[in-house]
Amino acid sequence: MPIQNTSIVWKINIFLQLLSLLLNIIGYCTNYIGRFGDFTHLGLWEMCEQKSDICVSLKLAKQFADISMVWAYASRVFLGICLTGQSLVILLTLSALVIKTNKFVAWCTIGLAFFSVLFGAIGIAVAAGEIKRLYVPKQFSGFFSVGWSFDLVISSLVMFLVAGILSFVETRRPAT
């Protein structure tokens, strides 16, 4: 079935899913989940000093600061599951366009989309909460704020949730 014959809801749904996946990948890979004042920012992979633009891996930073890395591994796993789920949802959505009468595929898509959002929310919450808890009191006296990587992941999850709701709406509509 060509994309021209699909409803506007499906077109918006696919666009939101693709944009959401892209934003989530960018947020996952970049080092701006947390910021400390104007001098340091941190992600799931590296800690960077902003003025000198020097970054060290969190594994190396762990050796100097003697902190646990469990939060980073947990966040990476949860966000990795989220990214995998988002990719599968896109594939299932495209297959649901081809197999219009298969409601089971559509319902699996909806369920996987919501679980993907749930895992992503857990992953980013663990990252931001632990970054603030571990680093602010010990090393930095400035303020802590979430960075644009955090914002991208949250935006991605909200968009994907909207896409899941659109999938639900579209599966409730009678087939034409």
Side-chain angles (χ1 to χ4, degrees):
M1 171 188 280
I3 194 79
Q4 293 86 4
N5 296 341
T6 60
S7 72
I8 189 72
V9 175
W10 278 116
K11 291 176 186 175
I12 292 170
N13 189 357
I14 291 169
F15 173 76
L16 283 176
Q17 288 178 9
L18 291 172
L19 181 62
S20 175
L21 180 65
L22 177 67
L23 292 178
N24 204 352
I25 289 171
I26 293 169
Y28 181 72
C29 296
T30 53
N31 296 318
Y32 288 88
I33 289 179
R35 282 188 13 203
F36 307 102
D38 292 331
F39 50 90
T40 302
H41 54 90
L42 180 69
L44 295 177
W45 308 97
E46 291 182 326
M47 176 186 279
C48 302
E49 186 178 332
Q50 207 155 315
K51 291 182 181 176
S52 65
D53 208 23
I54 296 174
C55 296
V56 296
S57 76
L58 287 181
K59 207 176 235 187
L60 185 62
K62 177 197 176 297
Q63 293 173 348
F64 294 115
D66 192 34
I67 56 168
S68 173
M69 287 293 296
V70 174
W71 68 270
Y73 298 138
S75 292
R76 290 175 193 169
V77 167
F78 278 113
L79 287 170
I81 291 170
C82 176
L83 288 169
T84 303
Q86 285 180 322
S87 300
L88 290 173
V89 165
I90 291 169
L91 291 175
L92 285 172
T93 300
L94 293 176
S95 71
L97 287 175
V98 175
I99 309 168
K100 213 35 165 163
T101 59
N102 194 344
K103 295 263 187 209
F104 178 73
V105 172
W107 282 100
C108 287
T109 303
I110 294 164
L112 188 57
F114 287 121
F115 277 112
S116 181
V117 168
L118 178 66
F119 276 93
I122 291 169
I124 198 66
V126 166
E130 286 298 304
I131 287 171
K132 182 178 180 182
R133 186 183 73 78
L134 290 173
Y135 292 95
V136 171
K138 294 179 182 167
Q139 284 89 355
F140 305 103
S141 60
F143 68 90
F144 169 80
S145 66
V146 294
W148 58 267
S149 296
F150 178 88
D151 297 339
L152 283 180
V153 172
I154 294 297
S155 299
S156 164
L157 296 176
V158 169
M159 279 192 282
F160 215 73
L161 187 61
V162 169
I165 292 168
L166 289 177
S167 292
F168 179 77
V169 167
E170 195 61 22
T171 57
R172 303 299 293 169
R173 185 182 305 209
T176 56

mmCIF file of all heavy atoms in Angstrom, residues 38-41 48-54:
data_model
loop_
_atom_site.group_PDB
_atom_site.id
_atom_site.type_symbol
_atom_site.label_atom_id
_atom_site.label_comp_id
_atom_site.label_asym_id
_atom_site.label_seq_id
_atom_site.Cartn_x
_atom_site.Cartn_y
_atom_site.Cartn_z
ATOM 1 N N ASP A 38 28.852 26.830 34.992
ATOM 2 C CA ASP A 38 29.292 27.092 33.623
ATOM 3 C C ASP A 38 30.549 26.322 33.265
ATOM 4 O O ASP A 38 31.165 26.584 32.251
ATOM 5 C CB ASP A 38 29.573 28.592 33.451
ATOM 6 C CG ASP A 38 28.310 29.411 33.535
ATOM 7 O OD1 ASP A 38 27.247 28.870 33.167
ATOM 8 O OD2 ASP A 38 28.384 30.574 33.964
ATOM 9 N N PHE A 39 30.942 25.364 34.112
ATOM 10 C CA PHE A 39 32.254 24.782 33.871
ATOM 11 C C PHE A 39 32.269 23.293 33.575
ATOM 12 O O PHE A 39 33.255 22.792 33.066
ATOM 13 C CB PHE A 39 33.200 25.066 35.043
ATOM 14 C CG PHE A 39 32.629 24.742 36.386
ATOM 15 C CD1 PHE A 39 32.787 23.489 36.937
ATOM 16 C CD2 PHE A 39 31.916 25.701 37.090
ATOM 17 C CE1 PHE A 39 32.267 23.203 38.178
ATOM 18 C CE2 PHE A 39 31.377 25.402 38.317
ATOM 19 C CZ PHE A 39 31.551 24.167 38.875
ATOM 20 N N THR A 40 31.246 22.523 33.863
ATOM 21 C CA THR A 40 31.297 21.086 33.610
ATOM 22 C C THR A 40 29.942 20.587 33.130
ATOM 23 O O THR A 40 28.905 21.030 33.587
ATOM 24 C CB THR A 40 31.681 20.323 34.905
ATOM 25 O OG1 THR A 40 32.919 20.811 35.355
ATOM 26 C CG2 THR A 40 31.794 18.837 34.663
ATOM 27 N N HIS A 41 29.980 19.641 32.197
ATOM 28 C CA HIS A 41 28.769 18.949 31.779
ATOM 29 C C HIS A 41 29.077 17.463 31.679
ATOM 30 O O HIS A 41 30.215 17.051 31.521
ATOM 31 C CB HIS A 41 28.209 19.512 30.467
ATOM 32 C CG HIS A 41 29.188 19.559 29.343
ATOM 33 N ND1 HIS A 41 29.352 18.511 28.473
ATOM 34 C CD2 HIS A 41 30.047 20.518 28.958
ATOM 35 C CE1 HIS A 41 30.277 18.832 27.588
ATOM 36 N NE2 HIS A 41 30.718 20.042 27.864
ATOM 37 N N CYS A 48 32.890 16.358 30.845
ATOM 38 C CA CYS A 48 33.660 17.339 30.090
ATOM 39 C C CYS A 48 33.779 18.646 30.864
ATOM 40 O O CYS A 48 32.830 19.094 31.506
ATOM 41 C CB CYS A 48 32.988 17.631 28.752
ATOM 42 S SG CYS A 48 32.763 16.177 27.717
ATOM 43 N N GLU A 49 34.952 19.259 30.759
ATOM 44 C CA GLU A 49 35.152 20.597 31.297
ATOM 45 C C GLU A 49 34.902 21.563 30.157
ATOM 46 O O GLU A 49 35.526 21.480 29.106
ATOM 47 C CB GLU A 49 36.568 20.761 31.837
ATOM 48 C CG GLU A 49 36.767 22.079 32.519
ATOM 49 C CD GLU A 49 38.159 22.208 33.101
ATOM 50 O OE1 GLU A 49 38.767 21.196 33.448
ATOM 51 O OE2 GLU A 49 38.624 23.350 33.177
ATOM 52 N N GLN A 50 34.000 22.475 30.360
ATOM 53 C CA GLN A 50 33.534 23.314 29.279
ATOM 54 C C GLN A 50 34.573 24.324 28.799
ATOM 55 O O GLN A 50 34.714 24.548 27.610
ATOM 56 C CB GLN A 50 32.260 24.042 29.709
ATOM 57 C CG GLN A 50 31.376 24.396 28.563
ATOM 58 C CD GLN A 50 29.951 24.526 29.019
ATOM 59 O OE1 GLN A 50 29.444 23.712 29.759
ATOM 60 N NE2 GLN A 50 29.298 25.562 28.553
ATOM 61 N N LYS A 51 35.311 24.930 29.703
ATOM 62 C CA LYS A 51 36.255 25.992 29.307
ATOM 63 C C LYS A 51 37.417 25.451 28.488
ATOM 64 O O LYS A 51 37.814 26.035 27.505
ATOM 65 C CB LYS A 51 36.759 26.727 30.536
ATOM 66 C CG LYS A 51 35.654 27.532 31.174
ATOM 67 C CD LYS A 51 36.117 28.304 32.359
ATOM 68 C CE LYS A 51 34.896 29.024 32.881
ATOM 69 N NZ LYS A 51 35.003 29.744 34.028
ATOM 70 N N SER A 52 37.967 24.306 28.897
ATOM 71 C CA SER A 52 39.098 23.752 28.159
ATOM 72 C C SER A 52 38.661 22.739 27.117
ATOM 73 O O SER A 52 39.475 22.288 26.326
ATOM 74 C CB SER A 52 40.079 23.086 29.130
ATOM 75 O OG SER A 52 39.460 21.978 29.751
ATOM 76 N N ASP A 53 37.378 22.377 27.108
ATOM 77 C CA ASP A 53 36.820 21.416 26.174
ATOM 78 C C ASP A 53 37.507 20.052 26.258
ATOM 79 O O ASP A 53 37.672 19.355 25.271
ATOM 80 C CB ASP A 53 36.868 21.968 24.742
ATOM 81 C CG ASP A 53 35.761 21.389 23.889
ATOM 82 O OD1 ASP A 53 34.749 20.940 24.454
ATOM 83 O OD2 ASP A 53 35.912 21.372 22.654
ATOM 84 N N ILE A 54 37.949 19.685 27.456
ATOM 85 C CA ILE A 54 38.567 18.390 27.698
ATOM 86 C C ILE A 54 37.515 17.454 28.265
ATOM 87 O O ILE A 54 36.824 17.791 29.228
ATOM 88 C CB ILE A 54 39.748 18.510 28.687
ATOM 89 C CG1 ILE A 54 40.848 19.363 28.074
ATOM 90 C CG2 ILE A 54 40.262 17.137 29.076
ATOM 91 C CD1 ILE A 54 41.984 19.658 29.039
#
